[in-house]
Amino acid sequence: AAVYIRAGTNDLIGNRAAQSFNGMLFEPGTIGEASNQVCSNEVALGRWEGNTWHGHGRFGTYTLFGPYAKINSRSPENQNGHSSVDWSECDGFDADGNTRGLPAAIVNNVDYDNVFVGHYEAGDIQYKNHASFNNLNLMYWKETKNFDDDCSAHISSSYYENGNMALPDQATFIIENTIFGDNVKIEANHHCQEGATGFLCMPQYIFHNVQWTNLSPNTNWL
């Protein structure tokens, strides 16, 4: 990958990379003294803003192994950045059954001329002001969850053109204030009953204030 990170707390601001296997690959994990000390999939995301990934052989933007940021006690001032010894902080629910998600956004990113953009699975992550065009898959997302605040959109104020939108097969997936331009196809439930990931096959999609500006009379949306 042009940019490879193991800790989602890194800030990625104003980077541009082209023509590698993956553009930005976030692969949560720990090594060395940090092994088994951090809920690496559950850490808060840093500031990911204004990055451009183009011409990659596989993904532009890519997160792997299901980042689902959670509220926990990890901080530079607390236990040298380690999680608390209470590993329940890695869980999706607290003792009272409340979800513990910590919403974040990938802002002002541009992806073009890639094969894929997105995640296998990820939750409480929003694409805001995302421009994705001339990718085989403008968005590729297998699994997600409803936002912890119960109302935020997964995609907001974005633009997509010339490619496929492969949407998750679970949860309520919200797209708002977004424009779909020429040659965009929506592939609903795209990973249903595929392998070990597509298991629920009961998504709900909400399109709020979405514009469809496809000029080709021969292109079907779905």
Side-chain angles (χ1 to χ4, degrees), residues 58-73:
R58 200 159 181 260
F59 279 82
T61 301
Y62 187 22
T63 72
L64 194 59
F65 299 142
Y68 287 88
K70 312 260 189 334
I71 298 170
N72 60 46
S73 57

Side-chain angles (χ1 to χ4, degrees), residues 22 58-64 106 111 114-122 127 130 132 135-144 155 160 163-169 173 175 185 187 189-192 194-195 197-198 205:
N22 289 303
R58 200 159 181 260
F59 279 82
T61 301
Y62 187 22
T63 72
L64 194 59
I106 300 172
D111 289 276
N114 307 295
V115 179
F116 302 98
V117 176
H119 333 264
Y120 281 19
E121 53 179 314
Y127 283 83
H130 184 216
S132 180
N135 301 294
L136 184 63
N137 290 278
L138 303 166
M139 182 58 66
Y140 185 87
W141 205 331
K142 293 181 181 179
E143 295 182 16
T144 189
I155 296 174
Y160 298 93
N164 184 55
M165 297 287 294
L167 302 182
D169 47 271
F173 193 84
I175 302 175
K185 178 171 285 189
E187 184 181 0
N189 230 10
H190 95 278
H191 215 250
C192 178
E194 293 292 334
T197 55
Y205 303 120

Side-chain angles (χ1 to χ4, degrees), residues 158-162 178-184 209-217 219 221:
S158 298
Y159 180 82
Y160 298 93
E161 180 177 292
N162 195 24
T178 291
I179 298 174
F180 293 111
D182 280 348
N183 301 313
V184 173
N209 194 31
V210 169
Q211 298 181 46
W212 309 82
T213 63
N214 182 22
L215 299 178
S216 173
T219 299
W221 285 112

Side-chain angles (χ1 to χ4, degrees), residues 25-150:
L25 172 56
F26 169 37
E27 184 177 9
T30 55
I31 59 176
E33 293 186 6
S35 293
N36 298 317
Q37 298 293 326
V38 177
C39 305
S40 57
N41 285 48
E42 286 78 24
V43 298
L45 291 189
R47 182 181 172 191
W48 295 8
E49 183 172 355
N51 301 291
T52 299
W53 318 112
H54 66 96
H56 299 287
R58 200 159 181 260
F59 279 82
T61 301
Y62 187 22
T63 72
L64 194 59
F65 299 142
Y68 287 88
K70 312 260 189 334
I71 298 170
N72 60 46
S73 57
R74 182 193 185 277
S75 70
E77 297 79 25
N78 183 55
Q79 301 183 27
N80 295 318
H82 293 177
S83 174
S84 72
V85 294
D86 182 2
W87 285 97
S88 66
E89 289 196 346
C90 301
D91 296 337
F93 300 89
D94 64 20
D96 296 321
N98 301 306
T99 60
R100 304 183 58 257
L102 184 64
I106 300 172
V107 182
N108 297 333
N109 272 22
V110 179
D111 289 276
Y112 66 93
D113 292 344
N114 307 295
V115 179
F116 302 98
V117 176
H119 333 264
Y120 281 19
E121 53 179 314
D124 286 304
I125 294 177
Q126 179 186 85
Y127 283 83
K128 186 174 182 62
N129 298 332
H130 184 216
S132 180
F133 53 93
N134 297 339
N135 301 294
L136 184 63
N137 290 278
L138 303 166
M139 182 58 66
Y140 185 87
W141 205 331
K142 293 181 181 179
E143 295 182 16
T144 189
K145 64 182 284 290
N146 296 356
F147 269 81
D148 197 73
D149 61 11
D150 293 327

